[in-house]
Amino acid sequence: MNLRVFSSEKEAAEACAARLAEAVRLQPDLVLGLPTGRTPLNVYRELVALTRRGGLDLSRVVTFNLDEFLGLPPEDAGSFRAYMERHLFHHVNLAPERIHFLDGSAEDAEAECARYDAALAAAGGLDLLLLGIGPNGHIAFNEPGESLVASCHRARLSRETRLANAMLFGDDPSRVPMAALTLGVSSILQARRVVLLAFGASKAAAVTAMLHGPVTPHCPASFLQLHRDVEVWLDEPAARGVRHHRPR
Ligand code: GLP
């Protein structure tokens, strides 16, 4: 995995937005995988700023978000769809029909997952995937455990993950749904390029396990070691446990 350590989160986010903008310039119909959470917020802010300055045209880009809470309709303020509307979709020129999202309120979760995997396959898979990482090493909502699921599926969320997502629910972890729908590890590993961002000391242990630990379902992000084109972009606190990294 290709590692870069930035002096600040802001610097990393700007570089990441510039990387995305360049990828879109080279391939205007790029299929882009998008995460939610705190980590990509500055990247989305930067993409909005680039759009406003006329430096980014997303009109032909296709997006697939990674995951959605189970039981929440898209218009629920706590849903990832609402988060994406607030922070990105509403402010850029993505075509609504090119935005793909899991519907957490679908009656038949299995059918919804099959629909999503089929839509991603029809789009040709992800050209570029922006990823965050959970403090427990999860990617999307592929949680640590005895095994991982390759395809899109319903995932039970750990207490730690519900805690980490409480900000969307008035900082009340008990209001965070118990389960979610998520792309599986196979779609993530089949993305042609991956850029994973991690900021802050709370991510240091997960980052160390991802980079230096064994490939194991107990750290889902460790499977990225098997991918040939992954960039890991960190700030100094998240890079604390990284071998051969000398803090500036
Ligand atoms: C959430 C999302 C992930 C995200 C991760 C980190 O649960 N499902 O896609 O990468 O947790 O979140 P944050 O960036 O807020 O630390």
Side-chain angles (χ1 to χ4, degrees), residues 199-217:
F199 305 127
S202 66
K203 299 292 172 72
V207 165
T208 307
M210 165 180 74
L211 292 172
H212 305 309
V215 176
T216 163

Side-chain angles (χ1 to χ4, degrees), residues 44-59:
Y44 294 153
R45 203 167 292 143
E46 205 46 45
L47 292 178
V48 171
L50 277 174
T51 301
R52 288 195 178 135
R53 291 203 294 273
L56 182 63
D57 175 11
L58 295 173
S59 58

Side-chain angles (χ1 to χ4, degrees), residues 7-159:
S7 57
S8 72
E9 174 175 343
K10 191 167 173 290
E11 200 187 297
E14 282 169 8
C16 183
R19 166 66 60 90
L20 294 182
E22 176 64 3
V24 172
R25 202 182 58 76
L26 294 172
Q27 189 184 340
D29 59 352
L30 191 82
V31 181
L32 188 58
L34 295 174
T36 48
R38 275 181 216 89
T39 306
L41 281 176
N42 284 323
V43 177
Y44 294 153
R45 203 167 292 143
E46 205 46 45
L47 292 178
V48 171
L50 277 174
T51 301
R52 288 195 178 135
R53 291 203 294 273
L56 182 63
D57 175 11
L58 295 173
S59 58
R60 290 175 58 202
V61 167
V62 176
T63 67
F64 282 83
N65 262 80
L66 289 171
D67 43 21
E68 181 58 285
F69 291 111
L70 191 65
L72 296 192
E75 55 281 2
D76 189 295
S79 72
F80 282 160
R81 175 72 201 221
Y83 162 109
M84 290 303 299
E85 292 291 344
R86 270 198 303 278
H87 296 294
L88 187 70
F89 296 165
H90 191 67
H91 312 284
V92 296
N93 65 340
L94 279 164
E97 68 277 11
R98 292 174 195 253
I99 293 174
H100 296 84
F101 234 99
L102 281 155
D103 180 357
S105 64
E107 252 170 52
D108 182 342
E110 236 170 76
E112 176 60 5
C113 289
R115 176 195 71 80
Y116 207 59
D117 270 344
L120 181 55
L126 299 171
D127 290 312
L128 178 58
L129 170 59
L130 187 59
L131 267 186
I133 181 171
N136 62 0
H138 74 228
I139 40 176
F141 272 136
N142 293 278
E143 291 276 46
E146 294 305 316
S147 61
L148 291 174
V149 182
S151 56
C152 188
H153 61 283
R154 178 198 156 116
R156 203 184 142 74
L157 302 182
S158 67
R159 213 172 62 89

